[in-house]
Amino acid sequence: MSEKPWVVVALARTVYGLSTSVLSTAMSVGVFAWDSGLAIYNLFAPNLPANEVVPKGCPGHRGAWPQYIAPREGDSRSACPALNAMANHGILPRDGRNITFRELTARVRETYNFSPSFCVFVDNYAANMLCRDYWTGKLDLSDISVHNCIEYDGSLTREDTAFQSDQGKPTMRLVEELLASGTGPNGDLTPADLSRMISKRRSESKRKNGQYSLNTIQRFFSSSNASTLVTIFGGKMQDIRTMLVEERIPDGWQSRVLHPMGLTMSQFNLTALHVELGITEELPASFGLSDQAAQKKNM
Ligand code: HEM
């Protein structure tokens, strides 16, 4: 094979790099514009009936979910309880393998009533992080758990990867702690509970895990993932228990989001921001607001 002149290769790489960045930025801008349109539509359109959030003809319509079967040896599962639950019900392939990004987008949209814009954005982000093409690529659920790619330290339902390499299973100690943390009516979960519990988890991880790391994007993902518990699940502890302990969708359950276009990024990000900005662990003790500071005061 004849070697190409360095200048030709460098030029081709620069053009290719620039064009993919431009395309990816254009896609993000397009998805954000679409999302804003859907958010405005949701403001005026009537809500869906609470027992008919899942569209007719889709698994889970009127709360009739396909049979739950716990994962078998060799099945692929992720750090995300909601995606695992879909595979456990056969809404995604039960073995959790060879799922196209586009299939993931469609099924998440129908199952949990996130807006289509949100689903495309998240799955496109995941495809990019895994160096795959959103339109043609596939994933196994465990691919989502690549550490510090999409999965991160200090989460609410999994021990850090440094302590537990298989992120496909929940850590019951953490889940039970979260389930006992609700201060809303009937012990339901509130955004303030999430901020408090994430604070606790992040400081615990920082203390115990010598490999702890968390960048700004991961912080926001961590708050976003957790915020699904107070939006899609409405903070209802009984439903959250079933989802987090068994990774099962409760019988008769429907998303608490009743907007016809689903939960948009614009709306969801307000909750995620509320949760993230309420996390005291990120503040130095000198501010007097962190749990560390409170502990020192009480000593
Ligand atoms: C479709 C795309 C989705 C992707 C790629 C995704 C990805 C993830 C990842 C990587 C985590 C693990 C965080 C960690 O432990 O390090 C996670 C956790 C989580 N996800 Fe998802 N997820 C998706 C959809 C959803 C949906 C639709 C829901 C809810 C209806 C949801 C709810 C959660 C919850 C509650 C957690 C646990 C948060 C924690 O442990 O701190 N996810 N997700």
Side-chain angles (χ1 to χ4, degrees):
M1 218 166 62
S2 69
E3 202 168 298
K4 304 281 180 296
W6 178 86
V7 137
V8 174
V9 177
L11 206 65
R13 287 206 59 191
T14 309
V15 169
Y16 178 72
L18 281 177
S19 61
T20 46
S21 306
V22 168
L23 275 178
S24 145
T25 311
M27 179 150 170
S28 299
V29 171
V31 172
F32 277 111
W34 177 29
D35 188 80
S36 309
L38 297 179
I40 294 170
Y41 178 86
N42 275 342
L43 284 178
F44 300 103
N47 277 346
L48 298 166
N51 66 343
E52 284 199 40
V53 180
V54 176
K56 201 168 173 196
C58 298
H61 178 63
R62 295 207 168 146
W65 297 100
Q67 190 192 4
Y68 166 88
I69 302 175
R72 298 181 175 146
E73 192 63 33
D75 288 346
S76 179
R77 289 295 182 266
S78 72
C80 175
L83 298 184
N84 291 349
M86 290 171 74
N88 293 341
H89 283 278
I91 300 166
L92 291 174
R94 287 193 185 269
D95 65 1
R97 296 184 189 278
N98 287 313
I99 304 164
T100 66
F101 287 99
R102 294 167 73 177
E103 181 186 4
L104 186 63
T105 297
R107 299 291 94 78
V108 168
R109 157 92 189 106
E110 298 157 4
T111 305
Y112 295 110
N113 200 24
F114 261 114
S115 68
S117 46
F118 177 93
C119 298
V120 169
F121 181 84
V122 173
D123 294 345
N124 183 48
Y125 181 88
N128 283 337
M129 291 303 278
L130 294 169
C131 303
R132 292 176 204 168
D133 182 69
Y134 170 80
W135 301 102
T136 55
K138 292 181 177 181
L139 81 164
D140 291 351
L141 286 179
S142 60
D143 296 343
I144 287 173
S145 307
V146 181
H147 183 52
N148 275 348
C149 177
I150 312 172
E151 192 279 328
Y152 44 81
D153 284 332
S155 59
L156 293 173
T157 61
R158 264 70 176 163
E159 206 74 76
D160 292 355
T161 302
F163 302 122
Q164 181 181 316
S165 57
D166 178 5
Q167 290 283 305
K169 291 190 191 101
T171 303
M172 283 310 147
R173 168 186 78 85
L174 297 176
V175 168
E176 287 300 342
E177 224 180 303
L178 178 65
L179 292 172
S181 72
T183 59
N186 305 315
D188 285 348
L189 201 64
T190 67
D193 297 330
L194 286 178
S195 301
R196 197 180 65 254
M197 294 308 286
I198 297 175
S199 278
K200 191 162 178 247
R201 274 293 290 140
R202 287 187 192 169
S203 43
E204 179 187 80
S205 283
K206 215 185 250 180
R207 220 176 40 249
K208 291 191 187 159
N209 179 1
Q211 295 173 11
Y212 176 78
S213 65
L214 199 66
N215 65 28
T216 306
I217 293 180
Q218 289 165 339
R219 281 190 175 89
F220 195 67
F221 267 116
S222 130
S223 297
S224 299
N225 282 325
S227 293
T228 59
L229 300 176
V230 291
T231 50
I232 302 289
F233 293 95
K236 301 288 168 216
M237 266 318 184
Q238 223 178 335
D239 296 337
I240 294 174
R241 171 174 284 282
T242 309
M243 173 55 65
L244 298 186
V245 173
E246 296 174 70
E247 303 199 325
R248 177 166 75 78
I249 302 177
D251 297 334
W253 183 85
Q254 297 276 281
S255 172
R256 301 276 165 174
V257 173
L258 304 182
H259 297 306
M261 287 299 146
L263 183 58
T264 56
M265 289 191 273
S266 327
Q267 198 191 349
F268 184 57
N269 286 347
L270 293 178
T271 309
L273 209 59
H274 181 125
V275 169
E276 181 59 36
L277 292 180
I279 294 174
T280 53
E281 179 270 340
E282 307 291 330
L283 288 168
S286 55
F287 275 62
L289 292 169
S290 63
D291 292 344
Q292 267 171 297
Q295 276 164 14
K296 267 191 192 158
K297 238 186 197 172
N298 294 335
M299 268 160 64

